Amino acid sequence: MTTYYKEFQKVLLSVDCIIFGFEQNKLKVLIGKRQMDPGRGEWSLYGGFVRNDESLDEAAKRTLYELTGIRNLYMSQVGAFGEVSRDPGERVVSVAYYAVINVADYSNRLLRDHGVEWVDIQEIPAMYSDHNEMIRKARKLLQQKIKIEPISFQLLPKLFTLTQLQRLYEAVNGEEVDKRNFRKRIKDMDFIENTELIDKTTSRRGASLYRFNKKMYDADTTFKL
């Protein structure tokens, strides 16, 4: 480190991660009880301080990997949160990121190790500092992104029914969609393939299973849902 800027006050920089999952037709967020002071025992997002040798994105990727054990998760920056009094311990500016994950890919052991749990976004408790605001802003960005990029498929299993896909969009947006119009739009998208397989876990008749074809999507420039 250099000896410049000694006349200026130093500010700590952190990242906080909002991890969205989809389970039992609910949009969920991974949160836990804070394990350090100040705010020990309060509900909190998972985060950490940015190291001197890493960029913001690198810090977020490291933090996400520490929590999930999964690399190359989809993530996007939510924004900076820098109210003077946001952290009672020190002057801390936090940059929030959101990521999406298939809940089935997340190890129950890691839930226990990190003391975190999946909580329905409609039931998020009062949280430490400005973490509730981070979640609200992240959800708004997710609602915008899911309409123009196929990130929804990262929240679903590789094989899914159209009902699962519809329920996901309803959970993210917080409102019902018209089933007939939704399915018509989906069936017009060549990159959502009918596998001819049947899921019989919910009914005797069963439902067709679909999958996302990334190669077909890359060749399509008209995605919008």
Side-chain angles (χ1 to χ4, degrees), residues 11-216:
V11 176
L12 293 172
L13 181 63
S14 69
V15 293
D16 283 294
C17 296
I18 303 103
I19 302 179
F20 291 113
F22 180 66
E23 185 181 42
Q24 298 174 339
N25 295 333
K26 304 290 185 182
L27 181 66
K28 297 187 176 182
V29 182
L30 198 59
I31 64 174
K33 295 293 184 71
R34 190 169 164 88
Q35 299 177 13
M36 61 186 294
D37 294 320
R40 185 184 299 270
E42 295 183 36
W43 287 105
S44 172
L45 294 169
Y46 192 86
F49 289 101
V50 179
R51 297 170 180 170
N52 288 335
D53 62 347
E54 63 185 1
S55 68
L56 283 171
D57 282 3
E58 289 169 342
K61 289 176 182 178
R62 170 178 56 80
T63 301
L64 285 169
Y65 179 70
E66 289 173 357
L67 180 58
T68 67
I70 304 172
R71 298 192 186 277
N72 302 317
L73 288 175
Y74 174 88
M75 74 173 197
S76 183
Q77 191 179 116
V78 177
F81 295 77
E83 289 294 327
V84 174
S85 60
R86 66 174 301 275
D87 191 305
E90 292 285 350
R91 179 77 169 97
V92 181
V93 173
S94 181
V95 178
Y97 286 78
Y98 77 85
V100 294
I101 185 175
N102 181 357
V103 172
D105 292 338
Y106 190 79
S107 165
N108 286 331
R109 177 185 61 80
L110 288 175
L111 287 175
R112 296 190 297 270
D113 290 349
H114 293 292
V116 293
E117 59 187 86
W118 291 105
V119 177
D120 184 344
I121 198 166
Q122 302 295 340
E123 300 174 358
I124 297 293
M127 299 183 67
Y128 177 75
S129 185
D130 46 14
H131 289 191
N132 288 95
E133 182 184 359
M134 289 181 180
I135 293 173
R136 284 194 294 270
K137 289 189 175 181
R139 187 184 188 184
K140 287 183 179 179
L141 291 175
L142 179 63
Q143 289 170 343
Q144 296 168 8
K145 186 70 72 171
I146 205 171
K147 295 177 182 178
I148 58 174
E149 290 187 23
I151 64 172
S152 57
F153 302 109
Q154 298 187 50
L155 289 158
L156 294 168
K158 290 183 179 179
L159 298 180
F160 53 87
T161 67
L162 293 186
T163 296
Q164 285 177 302
L165 184 58
Q166 178 184 333
R167 295 287 181 261
L168 169 59
Y169 275 82
E170 291 175 336
V172 170
N173 291 299
E175 59 185 18
E176 293 185 4
V177 301
D178 182 83
K179 179 179 178 179
R180 182 178 298 177
N181 289 336
F182 182 84
R183 295 198 172 201
K184 183 178 184 301
R185 293 200 301 272
I186 292 298
K187 289 181 178 180
D188 287 340
M189 297 176 181
D190 292 337
F191 51 84
I192 300 179
E193 296 181 332
N194 189 334
T195 65
E196 306 301 331
L197 299 173
I198 301 295
D199 173 25
K200 292 188 176 181
T201 59
T202 57
S203 69
R204 296 179 66 179
R205 180 181 177 184
S208 297
L209 286 166
Y210 291 76
R211 66 185 167 206
F212 171 63
N213 186 321
K214 187 176 186 304
K215 289 183 178 180
M216 291 290 289

